[in-house]
Amino acid sequence: MEAFEAVAIGAAAVAAGGINAVVGSGTLITFPTLLAFGSPPVLANVSNTVGLVPGVISAAYGYRRELRGQRRRLVRFGAASLTGGLVGAVLLLNLPADTFRAAVPVLILLACVLVVLQPRLNRWMKQRPDRGRRDGGVPLWLGILGTGVYGGYFGAAQGVLLMGLFGSFLSDDLQRLNAAKNVLAFLVNGVASVVFIAVTEVDWSAAGVIAAGSTLGGWLGAKVGRRLPPAVLRGVIVLVGGTAAVAVAL
């Protein structure tokens, strides 16, 4: 890897790590960068997923205060994310590369709508007879499972999808939900990376540069994201999510 290529990929990784910490669409920065330097799509996707894992860990650590009291939730949802990430990774290695392409923009835009409607949805949830339910029930678990499948397959904007689901089914502080999102994204990327490392080729030079950059970006993103008011964070999610949908569609 030449110096210019390493610097470009590293800079993209810093940005991706920061965006993943706050929202979750960093793949749309690093993945196209790898393609621009001639990496084949599947190899780029695999190497990108492996490289972004340390960045997600960094972001989750940065949100450790907001994770307090969420152990039961994370165990329940983590099982769905691990299962989904495993299935998605297997699909990536066995299905045509464009299988999910048509559905991705629709999923991202739907998630953005759910994020925008979160305050109204939360008020509606509190008025329901079953408002005592705090785990979202089976529908949310299945939604997280599906998001895990998507994340293991490609991963772009899985954080937007998770935040949209959380906003629809859970009544909680947005920063706490964002912290939980980072943990679930780590589980998805982590299990997918284990599969990729075990059975397919990884561009370790690219993955290493992305790992270093995304770790720094994840730490910086967490420091900034934790200070954003809910309305601003919601706006950032919608802006990045809308841009991601357009980018994928094109």
Side-chain angles (χ1 to χ4, degrees):
M1 180 182 295
E2 297 182 358
F4 174 74
E5 182 179 353
V7 171
I9 294 174
V14 172
I19 290 176
N20 279 340
V22 180
V23 184
S25 287
T27 290
L28 291 175
I29 298 178
T30 46
F31 180 69
T33 302
L34 292 177
L35 294 181
F37 284 105
S39 180
V42 173
L43 177 61
N45 196 13
V46 167
S47 304
N48 181 65
T49 298
V50 173
L52 286 177
V53 170
V56 183
I57 295 175
S58 177
Y61 179 77
Y63 273 90
R64 60 192 180 280
R65 294 180 184 176
E66 286 76 13
L67 288 172
R68 293 172 182 169
Q70 298 198 70
R71 178 177 298 179
R72 183 175 180 181
R73 171 185 289 173
L74 293 175
V75 170
R76 174 179 168 79
F77 295 162
S81 292
L82 283 171
T83 303
L86 178 61
V87 172
V90 172
L91 289 176
L92 175 67
L93 300 177
N94 290 278
L95 293 179
D98 60 350
T99 300
F100 288 162
R101 185 178 179 86
V104 168
V106 177
L107 291 172
I108 296 173
L109 290 175
L110 176 59
C112 289
V113 172
L114 294 176
V115 170
V116 170
L117 295 177
Q118 182 188 12
R120 186 173 300 177
L121 289 169
N122 282 346
R123 289 194 296 269
W124 174 74
M125 291 290 288
K126 290 178 180 179
Q127 295 171 359
R128 291 176 53 185
D130 61 343
R131 60 184 179 276
R133 180 180 291 274
R134 296 181 57 85
D135 60 4
V138 173
L140 178 55
W141 196 91
L142 292 176
I144 293 172
L145 174 66
T147 302
V149 173
Y150 167 73
Y153 185 88
F154 182 44
Q158 67 168 311
V160 177
L161 294 174
L162 285 171
M163 292 301 288
L165 287 169
F166 288 166
S168 300
F169 290 95
L170 301 177
S171 179
D172 202 345
D173 177 73
L174 197 64
Q175 295 289 5
R176 282 171 50 81
L177 296 179
N178 200 38
K181 176 266 294 179
N182 285 333
V183 173
L184 298 186
F186 157 68
L187 293 176
V188 172
N189 285 8
V191 71
S193 294
V194 170
V195 173
F196 296 152
I197 292 170
V199 303
T200 192
E201 179 185 1
V202 178
D203 183 343
W204 286 107
S205 59
V209 173
I210 291 174
S214 66
T215 299
L216 174 60
W219 178 75
L220 293 173
K223 290 181 72 67
V224 173
R226 291 180 65 247
R227 292 176 170 81
L228 293 178
V232 175
L233 180 57
R234 192 173 292 112
V236 172
I237 292 172
V238 173
L239 176 62
V240 175
T243 303
V246 173
V248 174
L250 297 176

